[in-house]
Amino acid sequence: MALDTDTFNLLLETVRRFVLERLIPREVEVVETNAIPDDVVREMRDLGLFGLSISEQHGGLGLTMEEEVRVVFELGRTSPAFRSVAGTNIGIGSQSIVIAGTPDQKAKYLPALASGELIGSFALTEPDAGSDAMALRTTARKDGDHYILNGTKRYITNAPIAGLFSVMARTAPERKANSISCFLVEAGTPGIKLGLPDKKMGQRGALTCDVIFEDCRVPAAALLGNEEGNGFRTAMQVLDKGRLHIAALCVGIADRLIEESVVYAKDRKQFGQPIAEFQLIQAMLADSEADTYAARCMILDAAARRDRRENTTRQAACAKMFASEMVGRVADRAVQIFGGAGYMAEYPVERFYRDVRLFRIFEGTTQIQQLVIARELLKAAS
Ligand code: COS
């Protein structure tokens, strides 16, 4: 259910101020410590950021998709690591349960995910199953009223701090969607091991690592929806939403990069005048602004369609592809406008340039989005 306009505008304004006053000043600390400070996490919990899209019935704010992306436009104006800690709880870390959980599973986990007391993590990717998600090898073997999980999940966001994993595992050997099921596995269950923290190009503070299951025994009640064979389709539905959320994040970062570029271009003088006076600099600013505006419009349209319960697989893939490529171009132009300074670690544009590279890769590469878009088009025409 949508919030009333005044309440929603107040939320947007609060998040905008929170980003400006509380998050942006802590960006360097996050890079240095590779962690989000506890007091910041507490404030994010108090603001309801962990439960934006989880229903009010389950303790969240119950935002529509359009409202969620508008909040994410704001959250995007700072290091993506801040968004990462809360974003998985309203995205891929909770959506399996929202989409396909039993009433008991929803009641058990969603309130703690919505408050941020529990961190959710989505465990799909494996060493040999990235883009080809259906090739996953992790198995879940039925053993009386339990399942036994074996396998390795890779690059799992928030795994080092997660309390709950949505684990896609094979309950049958054949290559088909029905062979894959989803299990809600609590951290600390015997048989789960975490790998060393991944060393990444950017996004310091957003934690990922391997999650290894070795004869990890979970009760049958951990089977999502109490039904074998719905794991793959659920994962795809989770990603349909997740891709819109990531696209919105790209727009927020692009806005920030444009702002940084404008301030720098007006201040930096060459040939006796601010570089902002040069039309070649203006052209880069204009291209970045038009790119960002186009992505924002696409995302808002896709989100509104999703709120109208239309199938948005194609639109979400379009938005994710366009926005992630777009923010790459905007970051590249920002570095160019900053010139030598843009290559220096002391300026945020250097950090964002590395951070945004991930968006063309995770939650489905650009090439996977192309494949999804084309398949949907061809399917609609047949
Ligand atoms: N919503 C609901 N169901 C979906 C769906 C969606 N968005 N996408 C696919 N499905 C269903 C299909 O309808 C099909 O169902 P049936 O078996 O009943 O026909 C089933 O799932 C299998 O789909 P498909 O045949 O398209 O599977 P493929 O193995 O060809 O792969 C891609 C599909 C490539 C699109 C998928 O593997 C993918 O998205 N890969 C990228 C994974 C990814 O994003 N990883 C990031 C990790 S999370 S950070």
Side-chain angles (χ1 to χ4, degrees):
M1 204 183 66
L3 295 183
D4 70 72
T5 311
D6 287 348
T7 311
F8 181 66
N9 285 340
L10 182 63
L11 172 69
L12 264 191
E13 185 49 39
T14 308
V15 172
R16 191 172 298 150
R17 268 212 329 272
F18 176 64
V19 168
L20 196 66
E21 293 168 9
R22 307 289 302 149
L23 301 187
I24 293 178
R26 311 288 290 271
E27 287 177 356
V28 174
E29 179 185 344
V30 168
V31 172
E32 283 167 359
T33 58
N34 196 23
I36 307 298
D38 288 344
D39 61 310
V40 171
V41 173
R42 271 197 302 277
E43 286 183 67
M44 293 173 91
R45 286 179 59 174
D46 291 345
L47 283 176
L49 297 181
F50 285 83
L52 290 177
S53 65
I54 294 175
S55 68
E56 286 170 287
Q57 181 201 347
H58 292 111
L61 296 183
L63 299 193
T64 62
M65 194 70 217
E66 191 175 335
E67 289 169 338
E68 178 182 330
V69 296
R70 290 176 65 194
V71 173
V72 178
F73 291 155
E74 299 300 328
L75 276 176
R77 300 165 88 96
T78 183
S79 291
F82 289 116
R83 193 284 329 174
S84 184
V85 71
T88 51
N89 270 30
I90 55 173
I92 59 177
S94 70
Q95 287 303 305
S96 306
I97 305 173
V98 170
I99 293 167
T102 63
D104 282 354
Q105 288 166 339
K106 289 181 181 177
K108 183 171 181 189
Y109 293 120
L110 290 180
L113 287 165
S115 71
E117 183 189 324
L118 184 68
I119 300 289
S121 187
F122 181 70
L124 173 67
T125 300
E126 297 187 358
D128 294 311
S131 289
D132 185 6
M134 207 189 277
L136 65 85
R137 289 198 198 152
T138 295
T139 54
R141 182 171 55 82
K142 189 123 207 251
D143 182 37
D145 55 3
H146 283 75
Y147 284 88
I148 298 172
L149 271 65
N150 278 288
T152 296
K153 296 293 179 179
R154 179 138 294 173
Y155 309 143
I156 302 305
T157 301
N158 279 343
I161 53 171
L164 182 70
F165 297 96
S166 304
V167 184
M168 306 304 147
R170 191 165 282 289
T171 38
E174 301 83 22
R175 189 192 161 99
K176 55 179 190 183
N178 288 349
S179 299
I180 294 169
S181 305
C182 176
F183 295 86
L184 303 175
V185 184
E186 294 178 11
T189 306
I192 302 184
K193 273 196 340 212
L194 297 183
L196 293 173
D198 294 323
K199 292 183 183 162
K200 305 190 295 295
M201 175 193 284
Q203 304 239 359
R204 279 179 69 78
L207 306 175
T208 62
C209 71
D210 279 6
V211 184
I212 303 134
F213 298 92
E214 284 174 351
D215 290 331
C216 175
R217 214 176 152 76
V218 296
L223 176 65
L224 182 75
N226 200 17
E227 192 189 344
E228 280 189 16
N230 67 357
F232 188 82
R233 281 185 211 91
T234 303
M236 292 300 115
Q237 287 171 274
V238 167
L239 288 169
D240 279 347
K241 174 173 186 294
R243 287 168 182 167
L244 266 181
H245 179 105
I246 295 301
L249 182 60
C250 294
V251 165
I253 296 179
D255 277 340
R256 166 76 180 277
L257 286 163
I258 293 169
E259 272 170 27
E260 295 274 351
S261 302
V262 166
V263 169
Y264 187 82
K266 289 176 91 165
D267 182 57
R268 170 78 175 161
K269 291 196 179 63
Q270 288 292 278
F271 304 101
Q273 56 181 338
I275 60 169
E277 305 291 324
F278 294 112
Q279 289 182 340
L280 290 179
I281 296 288
Q282 291 175 5
M284 285 193 275
L285 290 173
D287 285 348
S288 289
E289 179 64 13
D291 254 353
T292 307
Y293 181 54
R296 188 191 307 273
C297 291
M298 276 173 97
I299 294 161
L300 287 170
D301 175 70
R305 287 170 184 266
R306 192 180 160 91
D307 288 334
R308 293 198 298 267
R309 308 222 176 283
E310 290 177 27
N311 180 333
T312 50
T313 298
R314 176 160 54 108
Q315 288 79 6
C318 286
K320 160 70 164 66
M321 177 176 83
F322 185 82
S324 61
E325 294 285 336
M326 173 285 287
V327 75
R329 292 192 292 274
V330 171
D332 190 65
R333 293 185 199 111
V335 169
Q336 199 66 18
I337 290 167
F338 273 68
Y343 201 66
M344 298 300 144
E346 69 208 72
Y347 289 91
V349 293
E350 181 272 347
R351 172 163 38 85
F352 280 113
Y353 180 80
R354 287 181 287 106
D355 287 348
V356 302
R357 189 63 185 83
L358 180 63
F359 298 130
R360 285 186 260 168
I361 299 170
F362 81 164
E363 297 207 20
T365 60
T366 287
Q367 290 67 31
I368 287 296
Q369 310 309 330
Q370 288 173 320
L371 185 144
V372 170
I373 297 162
R375 275 190 189 183
E376 290 290 315
L377 269 180
L378 296 170
K379 200 162 72 185
S382 63

